[in-house]
Amino acid sequence: MSFSAPPVTQNRPARSLFAGPEECGWRLWRAVGEAVAAGALVLLVCRGGEAVSYLRLEGGAAALGLIGVAVALVLVRRRFPVAGVVGLAALMGVVPAVAPLTAVVAYTAARQIQMSRRHAGLLFAAVASAPVTCVVFAPWMGFSRWEFGLAVGAVLATITVVVPGLVGVAAGQQDRLLRALRERAAAAEEARRLADSESRMRERSRIAAEMHDLVGHRLSLVSLHAGGLEMALLKEAPALREEAALVRSATRDAMQELRAALGVLGPLARDPGTDALTDATGTRADIEALVEESQSGGIPVAFTWEGPDLDARPARVRRAVHRVVRESLTNVHRYATGAQVTVVVRHTDERVVVQVRNGVPPSPPAAATGLGSGQGLTGLRERVALLGGALEAHRTPGGGFAVAADIPADPGPGAETADAAPDDNGPVAVDEPGSGLSALQRRLGGAVTGLLGLVGVGVLMMFGLVLVDQAQHTSEPPSGEEPRLGMSRKQVESAMGWDNNASRAAAAGREPPRPGSATDCMYPYTGEKLKSGRLEIARYCFRSDTLIATDRFTVPMVTEPPGGNRTHD
């Protein structure tokens, strides 16, 4: 029977781009699911935000590429939280449809990292990047003036970065507080357990000392009087001298056994028995002495030691080896006198294996006691188990008996000594939050909460964007001044807004002839819809950056049916 155990190696997997600080593995399936969900969310925003012009997905391959970058930032948000927030906030100023993804990343980052001045500065940069990019790309996004781009950026940054960030900071602080409280409770419980163990050890030591002083004193007196009686009977009654000698020998043996038993109650350093732990206990010389003692008693013992000596191993390991060999040889003396015995000790870098086997005795034992009560083997099994090892005792197929113990060479600080009480509590486990619920229930609850929060963010975002969009499409001049002939292009833009690509496209082919000397014309968006179902277009033509003509005309309104193909009324 082999007790050798292969060395345990811990291979820490490489940290994935999709895993958090305390997660292991690549998490590929989760990343695939998040990528699909993020893409679907962007398409849903684009589809549901048709009423707001700058939520429509325009720009072709460039817009799709930016959305792909946004999805990638969502996938790596656990590994690079701050970079994900800053990058998505900047992209949000160009493609507002990715705003819900920014809210998800902002919440994750704020909950995961512990805020410092550096992190707070980076998140402030994320808040500021959305309005800046909205202002820079305002003409490309179709804003009539840069002020509207700034307003949209401010709305998006507030709703998708500031609000989720504050919620994430609160949740992260709560998580860290609960973790600290659980660790403190576990430390207090462990301290209480150690204090109870120490108190129990002190009480056992006191009991052992009192028993040794009282019972040992009485046995010493009995031995002394038995010796005097033996000397007196030497001349008076030689026939009774052997009986007195037997009494004195039995008293001496009882004293030795008492001291050995009391040594179990007290700590090893104060063991008062004759078998008190020394530097040689459990070493090769000590085991050889036990073997020689059995050989001198008429037991043929073959001894084998493999590996280095145990003098460098902990005292509790050496004591366990000593007790296994001594108890096994004692059982051979009692129940298998004269049987062939083999004692093998194997010492490797990680394990100490002790095997004691005996064959069938030449004659059966005098008393039909079988294998005894088994209390000695039970004590050995508990002693080895407290060190993290295992002990097996069983009959061999040939009719003999075998005892084998597998003991860690270095049990480590978590293993109890052989003198600890068998009912000592183990290390205190830290309860996980919500241990009464299953992992699936906790995940479903978190998913539902996150979905509701995302819906709330979407509603607030749409409300703010609709207000900005209505303000942009008002028919009143932004500066309150009507354009006049002779004004510069910059003055006209300040009064009416920038050139609008949608208005220019609607006027193409339906506008009146331009003035012959005009070098360029601009078509600001007026948003004026007539009851007849037509759209009023304002055209301002320039010659060398000077306004030379203003025209207003109507064109059929452009509608977009559910199928996505645009038609004209």
Side-chain angles (χ1 to χ4, degrees):
M1 183 177 296
S2 174
F3 285 87
S4 60
V8 179
T9 58
Q10 295 181 351
N11 296 324
R12 180 175 296 179
R15 186 176 173 188
S16 169
L17 293 175
F18 314 125
E22 300 178 356
E23 295 178 337
C24 298
W26 289 96
R27 307 280 179 171
L28 292 178
W29 287 111
R30 185 178 68 182
V32 172
E34 290 179 350
V36 173
L41 183 60
V42 173
L43 293 179
L44 181 63
V45 171
C46 294
R47 190 68 178 174
E50 291 292 338
V52 183
S53 59
Y54 35 84
L55 282 181
R56 298 172 183 172
L57 191 59
E58 299 178 355
L64 292 178
L66 293 177
I67 292 176
V69 174
V71 173
L73 290 176
V74 171
L75 299 183
V76 300
R77 70 187 186 278
R78 297 180 180 87
R79 181 70 183 274
F80 307 104
V82 177
V85 175
V86 175
L88 270 171
L91 288 177
M92 182 174 60
V94 184
V95 185
V98 303
L101 304 184
T102 308
V104 173
V105 177
Y107 174 80
T108 303
R111 183 170 185 173
Q112 178 176 321
I113 62 178
Q114 189 170 1
M115 282 298 167
S116 61
R117 290 185 178 180
R118 174 175 172 270
H119 291 151
L122 291 175
L123 292 179
F124 178 78
V127 174
S129 63
V132 170
T133 52
C134 276
V135 170
V136 173
F137 291 92
W140 183 76
M141 294 176 62
F143 293 115
S144 60
R145 301 182 63 194
W146 66 268
E147 289 88 348
F148 294 112
L150 180 62
V152 169
V155 169
L156 293 177
T158 302
I159 296 176
T160 63
V161 179
V162 176
V163 174
L166 293 177
V167 176
V169 168
Q173 290 179 348
Q174 183 180 12
D175 292 343
R176 287 185 286 272
L177 178 60
L178 290 177
R179 191 181 302 114
L181 291 177
R182 289 195 300 270
E183 292 175 354
R184 180 177 298 181
E189 183 66 20
E190 182 70 13
R192 185 198 63 78
R193 189 186 67 83
L194 293 177
D196 292 345
S197 178
E198 184 178 357
S199 300
R200 186 163 49 248
M201 182 64 68
R202 285 198 299 266
E203 184 65 17
R204 289 168 58 183
S205 300
R206 186 186 63 81
I207 295 173
E210 290 182 359
M211 291 180 64
H212 181 266
D213 293 340
L214 297 176
V215 182
H217 176 67
R218 299 300 181 184
L219 288 177
S220 298
L221 292 179
V222 172
S223 178
L224 179 61
H225 289 297
L229 181 60
E230 181 183 0
M231 295 299 295
L233 293 176
L234 181 61
K235 296 179 180 180
E236 299 293 335
L240 298 177
R241 177 179 176 275
E242 294 296 331
E243 298 296 332
L246 181 60
V247 173
R248 183 171 61 84
S249 177
T251 304
R252 183 178 68 251
D253 293 342
M255 187 66 180
Q256 292 177 351
E257 292 178 358
L258 174 63
R259 288 176 175 173
L262 294 181
V264 178
L265 292 177
L268 295 178
R270 291 158 47 184
D271 192 342
T274 56
D275 294 320
L277 181 67
T278 64
D279 292 338
T281 301
T283 61
R284 181 168 185 171
D286 180 52
I287 303 302
E288 287 178 347
L290 293 176
V291 171
E292 292 176 357
E293 182 179 351
S294 296
Q295 291 173 345
S296 63
I299 303 296
V301 182
F303 174 62
T304 303
W305 184 288
E306 299 178 5
D309 207 342
L310 294 177
D311 50 358
R313 293 302 179 183
R316 47 191 169 172
V317 174
R318 292 188 283 111
R319 184 179 179 89
V321 172
H322 174 89
R323 293 294 297 271
V324 170
V325 175
R326 189 181 70 177
E327 182 67 25
S328 301
L329 292 177
T330 300
N331 289 338
V332 173
H333 280 279
R334 291 177 179 175
Y335 312 116
T337 305
Q340 293 286 339
V341 182
T342 59
V343 178
V344 179
V345 179
R346 296 190 186 94
H347 177 206
T348 62
D349 293 338
E350 298 181 356
R351 319 294 296 182
V352 179
V353 179
V354 182
Q355 293 179 337
V356 181
R357 292 173 175 265
N358 65 270
V360 180
S363 58
T369 57
L371 295 178
S373 61
Q375 295 300 318
L377 293 177
T378 301
L380 284 182
R381 187 173 288 106
E382 292 179 354
R383 179 184 294 272
V384 173
L386 287 173
L387 295 176
L391 184 138
E392 291 189 5
H394 56 86
R395 287 185 178 274
T396 60
F401 200 80
V403 177
D406 179 28
I407 307 171
D410 188 4
E416 297 292 341
T417 64
D419 295 295
D423 58 346
D424 278 349
N425 296 326
V428 178
V430 178
D431 293 334
E432 293 296 331
S435 58
L437 301 176
S438 66
L440 180 60
Q441 289 175 327
R442 291 197 299 270
R443 291 181 180 179
L444 287 178
V448 171
T449 303
L451 183 61
L452 293 177
L454 195 59
V455 170
V457 169
V459 171
L460 290 176
M461 181 187 72
M462 292 299 298
F463 181 74
L465 293 183
V466 168
L467 290 180
V468 175
D469 191 63
Q470 290 179 352
Q472 178 185 209
H473 292 161
T474 180
S475 59
E476 297 180 0
S479 63
E481 181 182 6
E482 289 288 344
R484 302 185 307 275
L485 299 180
M487 297 180 77
S488 66
R489 185 184 183 93
K490 181 176 294 186
Q491 290 175 331
V492 175
E493 289 179 349
S494 177
M496 300 302 299
W498 293 328
D499 189 19
N500 185 268
N501 293 330
S503 299
R504 180 183 289 271
R510 299 177 178 84
E511 60 182 318
R514 297 183 178 181
S517 60
T519 57
D520 187 22
C521 295
M522 60 176 293
Y523 303 80
Y525 184 77
T526 60
E528 186 70 22
K529 299 177 182 179
L530 304 179
K531 294 182 179 180
S532 60
R534 301 177 66 85
L535 179 67
E536 184 178 20
I537 301 293
R539 184 183 68 182
Y540 301 91
C541 296
F542 301 87
R543 181 178 64 238
S544 301
D545 200 35
T546 301
L547 181 63
I548 61 173
T550 61
D551 299 288
R552 286 186 176 269
F553 53 93
T554 61
V555 297
M557 291 184 60
V558 179
T559 60
E560 186 173 356
N565 296 323
R566 294 186 177 182
T567 59
H568 297 282
D569 293 338

